[in-house]
Amino acid sequence: MFASIKRMIAPSSSKGDEGQVLSSWAKAEGYAYKTVRDKDGGGHVVQVEDEDWRVEWGTSQRSYIHGKELRFRSETKLSPDVQILVVSRVLAHALETEVFSSFTNAMQTQVDNTLPEEMRWLPMHPRVTLSEPVVLSKRFVVLANAETVARRWLDDKLLAVLEDAATTWWTDALTMVVTVNRGRLTIRMPGQPLEEAQLHAVGRLCSQATRSLRAAALSSSAG
């Protein structure tokens, strides 16, 4: 994971102490860091106060992410009814296969409600056509139940950050899913191992995605 980034950082950064990696990154960026405890063993939280988003590391909440999970989350003030999914075509195909397998093995007549919401959206929501940048249109899938809102969100600034991610660290081998649902943006991926460069890169994406979503929310409410 993040092979292109790993080549640029020291080998000592991959010791497996995710709490230390998160703490060091948070300290360097001026973010608040804390350890949390719960029935599942607890984890770590980094709060970005200035931009009002957070990073969570702990037990995986998704069957397609094994071991620990890393989540970037923010509240966007977008309508809770809007649902958007951004995922690589490779991962979309893998998740669609799992949905189809679950559907046919159980001989169901509708999509299994126990599946994660983003997996249920794959056969439900229409795709938002991406024409530019070319790298995004070839490698990624965007689905939404509100295409106009999705296009407002995918403004020039966010597209530029997505294009940079697609050409540097967001590889086809990376299990990363971006969702917008109930007014919340969530970016989730495997949480082991962690690299500070990884946190910086995904943090930049989360920051811009959050700003663009809040702008889209204001635009939608105004018109």
Side-chain angles (χ1 to χ4, degrees):
M1 183 175 70
F2 289 84
S4 60
I5 288 180
K6 286 183 179 180
R7 289 194 293 268
M8 299 186 290
I9 57 182
S12 59
S13 64
S14 57
K15 293 180 180 179
D17 187 350
E18 280 72 27
Q20 182 59 49
V21 174
L22 277 163
S23 177
S24 297
W25 171 68
K27 183 178 180 179
E29 297 292 332
Y31 303 153
Y33 165 85
K34 66 179 179 179
T35 299
V36 295
R37 304 292 181 191
D38 58 32
K39 63 181 180 179
D40 296 319
H44 311 282
V45 174
V46 175
Q47 187 71 40
V48 182
E49 300 288 354
D50 290 347
E51 299 185 51
D52 194 22
W53 53 269
R54 60 190 274 150
V55 183
E56 303 169 352
W57 182 94
T59 302
S60 176
Q61 299 176 347
R62 293 296 187 266
S63 60
Y64 56 81
I65 295 178
H66 304 292
K68 298 298 184 179
E69 181 180 305
L70 181 68
R71 295 178 294 275
F72 286 67
R73 286 182 162 166
S74 65
E75 301 298 332
T76 69
K77 299 182 180 179
L78 199 64
S79 168
D81 297 327
V82 174
Q83 298 174 341
I84 306 173
L85 170 65
V86 182
V87 67
S88 71
R89 289 182 180 273
V90 171
L91 183 56
H93 177 71
L95 295 179
E96 285 172 337
T97 299
E98 187 173 339
V99 171
F100 181 76
S101 177
S102 172
F103 182 84
T104 55
N105 289 344
M107 299 183 67
Q108 296 172 262
T109 57
Q110 59 184 6
V111 177
D112 186 354
N113 286 331
T114 65
L115 292 172
E117 55 200 13
E118 60 270 22
M119 292 177 68
R120 299 199 303 269
W121 296 349
L122 287 167
M124 290 171 52
H125 293 338
R127 296 193 177 190
V128 178
T129 302
L130 291 172
S131 55
E132 298 292 341
V134 175
V135 66
L136 296 182
S137 64
K138 288 183 176 180
R139 291 191 48 231
F140 292 89
V141 172
V142 179
L143 299 98
N145 67 348
E147 181 174 349
T148 299
V149 177
R151 290 194 177 280
R152 286 175 178 168
W153 175 43
L154 295 168
D155 59 19
D156 290 343
K157 291 181 179 179
L158 178 56
L159 287 175
V161 173
L162 283 169
E163 183 180 22
D164 178 70
T167 54
T168 55
W169 57 266
W170 191 348
T171 66
D172 287 336
L174 174 61
T175 301
M176 191 171 96
V177 175
V178 181
T179 59
V180 179
N181 192 27
R182 303 182 188 91
R184 172 181 287 178
L185 168 75
T186 303
I187 303 174
R188 62 178 79 239
M189 70 200 74
Q192 293 171 309
L194 289 186
E195 311 284 1
E196 286 190 44
Q198 165 194 359
L199 294 167
H200 178 77
V202 185
R204 179 171 177 252
L205 172 59
C206 180
S207 181
Q208 185 57 59
T210 297
R211 288 195 296 269
S212 294
L213 269 175
R214 289 171 182 166
L218 286 174
S219 178
S220 298
S221 62

